[in-house]
Amino acid sequence: MIIVTVEDQKGRIQQLEIPEDIDLNLMETLKTFQYPMRATCGGMGLCADCHCRVIQGDNLLPEQLDQEIMTLEAVPESDYDSRLSCQIKVGRAISGLSIKLLGPAE
Amino acid sequence: MEKIVTDICIIGAGPVGLFAVFEAGLLKMRCHLVDVLPQVGGQLSEIYPQKPIYDIPGFPVINAQELVDGLMEQIKPFNPTFSLGQRVDELEKLEDGSFIVKTFEDTEVHSKVVVIAGGLGCFEPRKPAIENLEQFEGKGVSYMVRNPELYRDKKLVLAGGGDSALDWTIFLADIASEVTLVHRGDSFRGAPDSAEKVVELAQQGRINLVLQSNITAISGNGRLKNVLVVDKNREQQTIAADYLIPLFGLTPKLGPIADWGLNIDKSAIEVNTIDYSTNIEGVFAIGDINTYPGKLKLILCGFHEAALMAQSAFKFVYPDLKLSFKYTTVYGVNTF
């Protein structure tokens, strides 16, 4: 089981137990847990609807690729701990991650 | 004021709105399209023009912009007309059942049917979280450069790190008396040529480049006067500015459509899947903007919705005619 802690836009905190064979990115995974996720670009790292802040576990995440950096640079409220959840592949490596959702709640 | 009379007013010139012109055209209905973006294509042209799409029937792979170009070619025989760069504001239903769609830019479209193909809504500028920002909109703060001459010999602060911030910085450096570009990052990942040019301009002292910084406050007495910038070490500096232009791209918002009396569920318009009609007779909603049980936000689903919508719209445009369904393979595409 992969454990990810999520604080939503309204401040509600939930610990998700994600099956290891889920084979989705984090944005898609959050959708399966019924988080409202607009995801205009559908997961291409272009729209920043799935913008989140990493509260804990930055070291568990893959390096940002250029597309993610470029998109985040265009988001005024992004900061050094910002990530796009669609660019994070869910797997055992990210278990223990804690994030706060910042994108629009649909 | 510009007045346009047509059979169907389509709000949104994305792929589904464009294909609706084709389906309407086969039934001899003329269309006028209104879109807030300055170009057709909606999300495809605005967000991912070079990305491949794999689920358009008959095209194993097609680039988003190529699909838009193909749709424009496909609907050309039906002579659609466009109001681009205009945001719809009001919908008025007249006594005879027809509609007037008004835009902020003072265009009025009189039609028998309204089709909302607005995708995720109007693309609006993404605004930075500065407390009193809206108070200074039109009084020094703007989110796009409409008329560069407005900035001649003025002090400008631009914010952002994307291509648009880079390009306008370069362009306005020759016009304004002082240009400052504030960017959150320590480098630019936009077009390398533009990024290089901006750094060069800063080295020549022709612009001020403020990196690893954010704008946290603005102030002025009725008009913008100062911009407060804070860097990553929490050091503050105040920059005198006649204008602030935050350039952080666009993000979709449902906008005024939300106030038209349509049944809305989570920013989407509820429709009847028989013909994608809304709760207002004569108004249809197709593509990503509608919702119904089992809805999939796919371009191909939007195309299907457009076809069914057109069959029903016919009754409003030609109430005295009988509709007989025809295949294009048998009858071809008869234009008007």
Side-chain angles (χ1 to χ4, degrees):
Chain A
M1 207 63 87
I2 302 156
I3 307 292
V4 174
T5 306
V6 179
E7 181 179 343
D8 71 10
Q9 290 88 343
K10 291 183 175 160
R12 289 174 298 216
I13 298 171
Q14 203 186 160
Q15 197 174 69
L16 310 183
E17 293 184 359
I18 306 165
E20 289 186 16
D21 59 354
I22 189 151
D23 195 26
L24 294 176
N25 65 46
L26 185 54
M27 176 275 286
E28 293 162 337
T29 305
L30 292 168
K31 268 189 169 182
T32 69
F33 280 87
Q34 309 304 319
Y35 281 94
M37 191 65 75
R38 190 171 62 184
T40 304
C41 76
M44 291 185 278
L46 294 167
C47 71
D49 278 353
C50 65
H51 178 203
C52 65
R53 181 155 293 157
V54 176
I55 297 181
Q56 199 183 314
D58 186 38
N59 57 323
L60 307 172
L61 299 178
E63 286 283 304
Q64 288 177 322
L65 299 178
D66 276 357
Q67 181 60 62
E68 184 178 356
I69 298 170
M70 225 150 54
T71 301
L72 281 170
E73 278 183 354
V75 178
E77 57 273 20
S78 76
D79 216 327
Y80 297 95
D81 47 6
S82 285
R83 291 299 300 251
L84 298 177
S85 63
C86 74
Q87 300 300 299
I88 299 171
K89 174 94 182 131
V90 174
R92 250 194 296 184
I94 72 156
S95 194
L97 178 72
S98 175
I99 59 165
K100 179 176 168 48
L101 304 182
L102 297 175
E106 274 194 297
Chain B
M1 179 195 290
E2 193 187 2
K3 286 195 177 189
I4 291 146
V5 178
T6 187
D7 295 323
I8 301 181
C9 175
I10 300 174
I11 298 167
V16 173
L18 294 177
F19 190 65
V21 174
F22 182 79
E23 288 296 325
L26 291 178
L27 303 179
K28 306 278 181 218
M29 297 184 285
R30 291 176 189 276
C31 297
H32 182 82
L33 297 98
V34 184
D35 201 298
V36 71
L37 294 172
Q39 76 279 339
V40 299
Q43 288 173 52
L44 276 65
S45 305
E46 184 61 31
I47 301 184
Y48 53 93
Q50 297 315 321
K51 289 282 178 180
I53 306 174
Y54 298 97
D55 59 355
I56 303 298
F59 293 92
V61 58
I62 184 166
N63 271 6
Q65 190 57 49
E66 273 177 68
L67 177 62
V68 173
D69 295 344
L71 285 163
M72 285 299 281
E73 197 184 323
Q74 193 171 17
I75 64 174
K76 207 172 166 192
F78 300 113
N79 296 312
T81 48
F82 297 88
S83 294
L84 297 175
Q86 297 206 23
R87 183 177 149 174
V88 292
D89 187 17
E90 286 172 40
L91 173 73
E92 186 189 344
K93 189 163 188 175
L94 305 179
E95 265 180 32
D96 65 355
S98 65
F99 297 92
I100 303 271
V101 170
K102 287 184 188 162
T103 73
F104 274 104
E105 291 74 12
D106 227 13
T107 297
E108 278 192 13
V109 186
H110 186 189
S111 64
K112 298 183 182 89
V113 168
V114 171
V115 174
I116 305 172
L120 295 162
C122 290
F123 278 91
E124 293 184 0
R126 208 180 255 134
K127 298 179 183 180
I130 299 170
E131 206 185 318
N132 52 353
L133 188 70
E134 289 183 2
Q135 203 182 306
F136 287 96
E137 286 174 2
K139 295 168 187 161
V141 171
S142 58
Y143 304 98
M144 54 188 74
V145 180
R146 284 186 199 276
N147 172 18
E149 276 305 310
L150 186 67
Y151 307 110
R152 184 163 294 280
D153 302 326
K154 303 286 184 193
K155 292 176 182 159
L156 304 189
V157 175
L158 290 96
D163 285 344
S164 153
L166 293 171
D167 292 346
W168 281 118
T169 299
I170 295 165
F171 188 83
L172 293 167
D174 288 333
I175 292 175
S177 64
E178 200 177 300
V179 175
T180 304
L181 175 62
V182 181
H183 175 41
R184 188 187 70 86
D186 58 0
S187 59
F188 296 100
R189 294 179 201 255
D193 288 355
S194 309
E196 240 170 68
K197 178 85 182 153
V198 163
V199 173
E200 217 173 89
L201 286 171
Q203 282 163 352
Q204 292 164 1
R206 293 180 56 206
I207 64 160
N208 306 314
L209 195 51
V210 183
L211 297 176
Q212 297 187 292
S213 300
N214 282 313
I215 296 171
T216 55
I218 56 176
S219 61
N221 188 9
R223 264 205 75 84
L224 180 74
K225 249 185 139 176
N226 291 306
V227 172
L228 184 71
V229 175
V230 178
D231 71 12
K232 67 169 191 171
N233 301 319
R234 307 282 163 208
E235 298 276 338
Q236 297 188 352
Q237 64 166 309
T238 300
I239 303 170
D242 299 308
Y243 290 97
L244 167 64
I245 311 171
L247 294 168
F248 293 110
L250 302 173
T251 187
K253 293 250 164 66
L254 194 53
I257 290 171
D259 305 320
W260 288 359
L262 295 159
N263 290 342
I264 297 210
D265 178 32
K266 290 182 193 147
S267 298
I269 301 167
E270 291 178 349
V271 288
N272 182 340
T273 49
I274 286 178
D275 54 4
Y276 304 98
S277 54
T278 69
N279 59 307
I280 301 178
E281 201 179 26
V283 177
F284 298 80
I286 55 175
D288 284 0
I289 202 148
N290 75 13
T291 184
Y292 51 83
K295 169 73 183 177
L296 283 180
K297 286 184 181 179
L298 290 176
I299 293 169
L300 75 97
C301 295
F303 289 168
H304 159 84
E305 293 164 13
L308 268 62
M309 171 282 295
Q311 300 292 311
S312 240
F314 185 85
K315 294 195 283 281
F316 293 92
V317 176
Y318 298 113
D320 302 326
L321 294 185
K322 289 215 182 306
L323 174 63
S324 111
F325 180 72
K326 292 173 177 171
Y327 290 105
T328 52
T329 36
V330 178
Y331 288 94
V333 175
N334 296 307
T335 60
F336 44 75

